[in-house]
Amino acid sequence: MRWIWIDKFIEFQPGVRAKAIKNVSLAEEHLHDHYPGYPNMPNSLITEGIAQTGGVLVGETTQFTKRVVLAKIPKVSFYRPVVAGETLTYTVEIEMLMDEGAMVSATSQVDGELQAELEMVYAYLGDEHVNPNLFQPQDFLLHLRQLGLFDRLPNLEELGWNDWPGLQSAEEVSWKNGKHHAS
Amino acid sequence: MPTKEEIFEKVRTALEDALGVDEEDVTPEASLIGDLEAESIDFLDIIFRLEKAFDIKIPRGELFPDNLLNDPNYVVDGKFTDEGLQQVRERMPFADLEEFSKNPEVQNFANLFTVQMICRYVESKLAAS
């Protein structure tokens, strides 16, 4: 199973803003260790979910041709604990895009109440790094579909996604005619 | 064109935010690596904040030249050659090279990156725009 810490994108404005939600449930085992008798969602995993939301937002700006990694969290504040039954809404906005990476600002909210505020810096991995692919294209595509990203994107052609090198091969392997052939 | 004081104030804010240091630590003489403990990824963060604060574009390698140290013509036995030193002068006209040129060892190179150097760089960028 993939390390996925968001459930669904609910808004996606390419190059501008992404919103995703995360439902917190007692069925999640990690809550029982954090902490016994007082289960609450670890802030580290909230940070991971926000980083994933922003990572897709940043990655989309280059049609996922660059490998985006979270490099630094210059600022972070948490204001309240999150317990089972609550839904977190992560909002990430791009502050700046550069050749080397991107900076974003982000919030986490529960029912409109501010739960966390962050700044994040993403860097693009250079060619000198060993593993050329962070994901297999078809796995990544499946992952984005599961998160409902395509329901939030009105027009793939307009975004230049049809030119995304990974998309075609991924489509051929897994999604042609709605059939899933990926191994 | 902002005054030198205004530039310094904005540079200081950028460094406070990027490096999590206190206002009083960010003096003109403070070196980014030695005194303010900047690491490699912080330089990207600093560039983000300077571009935003001053509405300027900082091309890769212009403020923090990254390929001088690897060139065998410029560095021999851990020391900058005359040619290397000349390169540093040309690439970093905003740096104070007086002390460094007396003993241009690679290990002293990082000391060139001071708060004052960033301020001078920003001044030159704003003057040219």
Side-chain angles (χ1 to χ4, degrees):
Chain A
M1 175 160 165
R2 279 277 181 197
W3 178 254
I4 298 174
W5 287 101
I6 48 180
D7 292 333
K8 190 171 79 171
F9 281 98
I10 57 169
E11 185 185 327
F12 199 92
Q13 293 184 43
V16 181
R17 177 172 47 246
K19 276 191 187 189
I21 55 170
K22 160 71 188 157
N23 289 315
V24 179
S25 162
L26 273 183
E28 294 177 277
E29 217 167 304
H30 63 94
L31 287 193
H32 296 268
D33 300 324
H34 185 279
Y35 298 93
Y38 180 53
N40 67 89
M41 179 72 181
N43 285 331
S44 53
L45 294 176
I46 291 173
T47 304
E48 173 64 27
I50 293 170
Q52 292 181 359
T53 308
V56 173
L57 179 66
V58 171
E60 191 283 326
T61 63
T62 62
Q63 281 86 49
F64 302 103
T65 53
K66 291 187 178 177
R67 293 170 296 162
V68 181
V69 292
L70 175 62
K72 179 178 170 182
I73 304 172
K75 279 186 186 170
V76 58
S77 301
F78 295 101
Y79 301 112
R80 55 158 281 188
V82 178
V83 297
E86 292 187 309
T87 298
L88 288 155
T89 302
Y90 303 145
T91 305
V92 183
E93 294 188 348
I94 290 181
E95 294 290 330
M96 191 164 256
L97 287 171
M98 292 176 69
D99 293 342
E100 297 91 344
M103 179 178 270
V104 304
S105 61
T107 61
S108 160
Q109 295 186 314
V110 180
D111 286 333
E113 184 188 345
L114 189 62
Q115 189 270 324
E117 280 180 296
L118 302 91
E119 273 182 0
M120 286 181 170
V121 175
Y122 295 90
Y124 298 133
L125 283 185
D127 294 335
E128 69 274 15
H129 295 276
V130 184
N131 186 359
N133 292 316
L134 292 178
F135 304 95
Q136 290 300 318
Q138 55 268 42
D139 287 348
F140 188 57
L141 191 66
L142 177 66
H143 174 49
L144 295 181
R145 283 184 193 268
Q146 282 175 339
L147 292 172
L149 181 69
F150 296 96
D151 301 332
R152 310 272 90 78
L153 288 169
N155 190 340
L156 295 187
E157 240 171 79
E158 214 170 273
L159 290 170
W161 273 50
N162 291 355
D163 301 328
W164 175 34
L167 187 63
Q168 203 181 349
S169 63
E171 288 283 358
E172 279 169 9
V173 175
S174 28
W175 295 101
K176 205 83 176 175
N177 305 321
K179 290 174 193 163
H180 183 226
H181 300 300
S183 56
Chain B
M1 177 89 185
T3 64
K4 288 188 175 191
E5 287 72 29
E6 286 164 347
I7 290 173
F8 175 71
E9 283 306 318
K10 280 190 180 181
V11 168
R12 174 149 76 182
T13 303
L15 293 174
E16 279 175 52
D17 291 344
L19 303 175
V21 290
D22 293 331
E23 189 180 326
E24 57 265 29
D25 295 331
V26 189
T27 60
E29 304 75 32
S31 77
L32 300 184
I33 296 167
D35 296 323
L36 304 180
E37 299 182 351
E39 295 176 20
S40 60
I41 194 64
D42 294 323
F43 288 92
L44 182 60
D45 191 2
I46 291 167
I47 286 173
F48 276 134
R49 289 172 199 278
L50 293 176
E51 287 200 340
K52 207 171 169 193
F54 294 102
D55 195 21
I56 53 176
K57 182 87 192 120
I58 302 176
R60 189 193 171 114
E62 189 174 270
L63 176 56
F64 304 118
D66 49 4
N67 49 4
L68 290 171
L69 298 175
N70 307 327
D71 193 315
N73 293 321
Y74 300 157
V75 174
V76 174
D77 293 336
K79 210 167 173 176
F80 276 85
T81 61
D82 289 345
E83 191 187 351
L85 205 51
Q86 187 54 34
Q87 272 294 316
V88 176
R89 270 194 198 94
E90 285 172 20
R91 299 269 303 270
M92 303 174 68
F94 39 84
D96 181 359
L97 296 176
E98 199 183 321
E99 279 304 307
F100 178 69
S101 56
K102 289 179 195 162
N103 190 15
E105 288 183 31
V106 167
Q107 61 185 19
N108 297 331
F109 186 62
N111 296 336
L112 293 178
F113 299 101
T114 61
V115 177
Q116 183 63 51
M117 185 204 82
I118 293 180
C119 291
R120 283 209 202 98
Y121 171 79
V122 171
E123 282 167 28
S124 69
K125 288 294 273 190
L126 292 175
S129 64

